[in-house]
Amino acid sequence: MFFTNVIKPTHLCNLACKYCYNDDVRDPVMKEYTLRRTIEQTFNYVRKFEGQRLVSFIWHGGEPMIAGLKYFQQAIEFQGEFGHDVKFENIIQTNGTFIDEKWINFFKIANFSISISIDGPASMHDAFRVDRRGRGSYEKVMSAIKMVKDAGLPFGVCVVISKANIDRVEELYDFLSQERLPFNVIPLNKSGSARDHFQDVGLDAEEYADAWIKMYDKWYDSDRDYVYCSDFIYKTRAIMMGRPMDCVGLAQCAGSNISVDPVGDVYPCASLSGHADTKYGNLTEYDLDVLLNSSTAMDYRNRKMDEQCASCKWQHVCHGGCQARAYKFFGDHNRRDYYCPSLFKMYEHVGHRIEQSAIALTADHSIKSLITSNCSQ
């Protein structure tokens, strides 16, 4: 079983990004007991399953590094105590501004993978990713990326497509390629700070699809300027192999994903933290297997199929898209993703590109070597 737990040590953040998705205004840092209990229960739950077992701990926020180095050192100690017979990995999603030599040394020793948020060169990044005094964070972020690269740590960057960079996505790809930054690309959620001014920062489904396709074509046609992009990889592999390759495309993503917030509340997804009607319960009060069989959890673990999805040619790789986005935009996780039209257009385009290259969807070696290369980044 591959199980993902997105742990949020805190919702606090030192930046004030204009499109921040965080809806939870509570500000504690997770206590040691809650951290211990979260890690113990995660391993106990996965241990119940036969066969290969892997836990992916994704440390998220807020800005998770606000919790401090000692917090993460304790987390590693608890993982060693409770996870001795289960494979696991640690990934941290950070804005990068706290990274220094002490953190670098810790990440090396603890075998962390690092994901740093950056939205392109300074003029794009600093449009929305600012501190509480309105100052851009680009220079600090690039300094952190250099430290991570120099240390040889496994890393990538997370890029949000928004009004700040939608008209310059080909330039954005060139920047990522020139800086050798493996990346993932995501759209804005209608959530947190972005909710109140989504028209000023967010994209409609058509805009996002068009921007994504421009970047995808740059990537697909690349040679020396090739740079790894997980979303492009996953969607191409999904069509080639006939099954979803990312959580957005899974029929029932909540069956293998949870998120735990600073006070121990469990949710189906990190994006849904703070919404009382999506909460399974609290880990300090109940075991995880009990929470995952609660009525709310079973509702999210058994998402209903939309009628339009049932007849869609890409249903087998998409399954209605992200249910957290469906909830954020429409208040109902059983609805189709707000970006459903984007996803359809993306899959159509990827399929056409593969066909235009005269590549058999399941056989050609050259495209498979491209699609399966660097998958650990």
Side-chain angles (χ1 to χ4, degrees):
M1 181 190 194
F2 183 83
F3 190 77
T4 298
N5 188 348
V6 183
I7 301 177
K8 297 190 166 196
T10 182
H11 291 301
L12 294 171
C13 187
N14 60 313
L15 297 185
C17 301
K18 296 177 183 177
Y19 58 56
C20 179
Y21 80 96
N22 184 31
D23 272 326
D24 198 327
V25 297
R26 293 173 297 169
D27 62 359
V29 174
M30 184 179 285
K31 294 180 179 178
E32 180 179 341
Y33 171 76
T34 306
L35 174 62
R36 179 188 179 93
R37 173 80 174 166
T38 296
I39 291 173
E40 178 186 24
Q41 283 297 304
T42 301
F43 283 127
N44 286 351
Y45 178 74
V46 172
R47 198 173 279 116
K48 297 176 185 292
F49 293 86
E50 300 280 340
Q52 185 179 14
R53 294 168 295 198
L54 173 66
V55 177
S56 181
F57 291 100
I58 300 177
W59 304 91
H60 209 288
E63 170 48 53
M65 292 174 66
I66 283 177
L69 191 55
K70 183 179 178 181
Y71 170 93
F72 284 94
Q73 290 169 336
Q74 289 178 325
I76 295 303
E77 291 177 7
F78 295 148
Q79 288 174 339
E81 179 180 352
F82 298 116
H84 52 87
D85 59 342
V86 177
K87 290 183 178 179
F88 63 91
E89 63 181 3
N90 286 294
I91 304 164
I92 188 166
Q93 176 63 50
T94 174
N95 62 39
T97 58
F98 289 105
I99 290 177
D100 58 18
E101 288 299 333
K102 289 183 180 180
W103 280 101
I104 291 291
N105 291 335
F106 168 76
F107 290 145
K108 279 185 176 180
I109 293 169
N111 296 314
F112 266 61
S113 296
I114 320 296
S115 176
I116 298 177
S117 298
I118 189 167
D119 290 346
S123 59
M124 300 182 198
H125 178 90
D126 287 346
F128 295 148
R129 297 194 63 83
V130 297
D131 65 16
R132 298 190 180 281
R133 296 173 63 182
R135 298 172 300 187
S137 58
Y138 175 81
E139 294 298 333
K140 287 184 177 180
V141 173
M142 286 302 293
S143 176
I145 288 173
K146 184 179 186 304
M147 292 182 70
V148 169
K149 290 171 71 174
D150 289 347
L153 288 164
F155 86 102
V157 300
C158 183
V159 179
V160 177
I161 301 298
S162 70
K163 287 274 197 311
N165 51 25
I166 182 177
D167 295 325
R168 300 165 61 189
V169 290
E170 291 168 322
E171 179 186 345
L172 171 58
Y173 182 87
D174 290 340
F175 165 80
L176 297 166
S177 174
Q178 290 163 10
E179 295 290 341
R180 308 311 304 160
L181 302 179
F183 71 100
N184 187 32
V185 58
I186 59 174
L188 275 174
N189 218 333
K190 194 172 186 179
S191 175
S193 298
R195 179 182 290 105
D196 295 333
H197 48 277
F198 189 80
Q199 288 185 336
D200 299 324
V201 298
L203 310 176
D204 64 31
E206 188 76 11
E207 289 175 317
Y208 181 62
D210 290 345
W212 190 96
I213 286 168
K214 285 180 182 178
M215 288 190 75
Y216 180 87
D217 284 342
K218 288 275 288 185
W219 171 82
Y220 192 92
D221 295 328
S222 63
D223 185 10
R224 292 185 179 180
D225 59 343
Y226 172 79
V227 62
Y228 179 93
C229 174
S230 55
D231 199 41
F232 298 162
I233 293 279
Y234 293 152
K235 285 182 170 55
T236 307
R237 291 178 71 199
I239 291 180
M240 294 179 66
M241 299 181 184
R243 57 188 176 89
M245 290 288 163
D246 57 9
C247 66
V248 172
L250 290 175
Q252 306 297 344
C253 65
S256 56
N257 295 272
I258 62 167
S259 181
V260 181
D261 79 356
V263 297
D265 289 338
V266 179
Y267 298 88
C269 175
S271 296
L272 298 175
S273 181
H275 292 269
D277 57 337
T278 72
K279 184 175 75 173
Y280 296 172
N282 191 282
L283 261 183
T284 66
E285 301 171 0
Y286 301 96
D287 288 350
L288 183 56
D289 57 352
V290 173
L291 296 179
L292 283 169
N293 284 286
S294 66
S295 58
T296 302
M298 295 308 295
D299 183 33
Y300 274 88
R301 294 173 68 186
N302 293 279
R303 184 186 189 185
K304 299 177 181 63
M305 183 182 294
D306 182 276
E307 289 184 10
Q308 183 171 324
C309 290
S311 60
C312 177
K313 65 184 291 187
W314 301 117
Q315 188 272 341
H316 64 295
V317 295
C318 178
H319 296 101
C322 176
Q323 64 175 338
R325 289 198 299 245
Y327 176 90
K328 287 296 182 84
F329 280 92
F330 305 119
D332 181 0
H333 72 99
N334 288 308
R335 293 273 300 271
R336 282 178 286 119
D337 188 344
Y338 170 80
Y339 291 105
C340 168
S342 308
L343 293 168
F344 183 87
K345 195 169 182 178
M346 291 171 189
Y347 285 120
E348 284 282 287
H349 185 78
V350 172
H352 288 323
R353 288 307 311 263
I354 293 174
E355 292 172 0
Q356 289 167 359
S357 302
I359 298 170
L361 294 181
T362 58
D364 186 85
H365 175 74
S366 61
I367 190 67
K368 278 192 173 181
S369 65
L370 171 67
I371 299 309
T372 58
S373 67
N374 297 318
C375 286
S376 64
Q377 294 188 45

